[in-house]
Amino acid sequence: MKLILLGAPGAGKGTQSAKISEKYNIPAIATGDILRGAIKEGTELGLTAKGYMDAGKLVPDEIVVGIIKDYLSTEACKNGFILDGFPRSIPQAEALDAMGVKIDVVLSIEVPDDKIIARMSGRRVCHCGASYHVDYIPPKVEGICDKCGAELYIRADDCAETVANRLKTFHAQTEPLKTYYEAKGILATVEGQEEVADTTALVFAALDRVNA
């Protein structure tokens, strides 16, 4: 199965990607990891990408897609893969198509903006690595880490204003991909649930229908 996962920041793509990877025994691919790997290995495309990054410029879509295509042709991906976080725009999807990367299904996890903002802005973390949520996993003492007693804090990425801005970008740049892939007849949608296990059940049901 060759799968793309779509969904807004905080929709739970990473969690579901890991579940799908485990069940179907296919690798979950984070674009950033592939890019860093190509740079570390000194591949031709990796070095080209490094040149852009060192100059403080965005790596062109063609370079990113080329690096991804190289990785997808490796032994690790021979039975399929999950692309999590790519493509992020119509031009990236078109570049993926132009390079001959065939996708079987695009799964979109749908969660309303207000729920995502509440979910992400409620996160609290500690320098020791522990993480909490004011509603779902609260610490025993408000604002204090259970493990080390240090004061908890909100990551900059989890601030409500930052989350709202990230959602705005998602709706403008990435959400049009749903229409793009729907026109190809490979889009499946799942409503994200409060419980992770419930979302996972819906995800597996949707993928089983595709594979039937």
Side-chain angles (χ1 to χ4, degrees):
M1 183 190 302
K2 298 172 182 177
L3 169 70
I4 289 173
L5 268 186
L6 289 181
K13 295 190 302 299
T15 300
Q16 296 306 322
S17 177
K19 301 284 188 185
I20 296 167
S21 175
E22 182 180 2
K23 178 175 179 179
Y24 292 96
N25 195 29
I26 53 176
I29 300 167
T31 314
D33 291 343
I34 295 177
L35 198 58
R36 286 187 289 272
I39 292 169
K40 186 176 180 181
E41 291 168 16
T43 67
E44 183 180 347
L45 286 172
L47 292 174
T48 304
K50 187 176 186 298
Y52 282 97
M53 293 166 72
D54 287 348
K57 298 178 181 178
L58 287 174
V59 181
D61 288 346
E62 297 77 20
I63 304 297
V64 177
V65 173
I67 289 172
I68 289 174
K69 187 184 179 186
D70 283 350
Y71 186 83
L72 297 183
S73 65
T74 63
E75 186 72 11
C77 299
K78 69 176 183 178
N79 294 322
F81 53 80
I82 306 158
L83 281 177
D84 177 5
F86 188 90
R88 292 179 183 270
S89 64
I90 298 285
Q92 287 183 350
E94 291 173 339
L96 203 60
D97 289 343
M99 287 200 172
V101 178
K102 184 180 181 302
I103 301 298
D104 297 316
V105 60
V106 177
L107 182 67
S108 177
I109 301 175
E110 308 283 326
V111 180
D113 285 5
D114 57 345
K115 287 191 175 181
I116 287 177
I117 292 172
R119 182 184 294 175
M120 295 182 72
S121 63
R123 291 175 180 168
R124 300 291 184 271
V125 295
C126 179
H127 292 291
C128 77
S131 60
Y132 304 87
H133 192 283
V134 293
D135 295 320
Y136 307 123
I137 318 169
K140 294 174 183 175
V141 178
E142 185 177 346
I144 301 297
C145 179
D146 293 349
K147 295 183 179 179
C148 71
E151 190 172 342
L152 301 176
Y153 64 95
I154 304 174
R155 295 186 309 175
D157 279 355
D158 291 337
C159 291
E161 186 177 349
T162 303
V163 175
N165 286 334
R166 291 173 67 194
L167 288 170
K168 186 176 180 181
T169 300
F170 168 79
H171 291 310
Q173 295 182 2
T174 306
E175 197 160 38
L177 286 170
K178 290 196 294 186
T179 302
Y180 180 84
Y181 285 117
E182 187 174 31
K184 292 176 177 291
I186 58 173
L187 180 73
T189 59
V190 163
E191 296 290 334
Q193 306 296 305
E194 287 296 325
E195 297 294 332
V196 170
D198 292 338
T199 302
T200 302
L202 293 175
V203 165
F204 287 165
L207 294 180
D208 287 343
R209 283 196 297 274
V210 170
N211 289 328

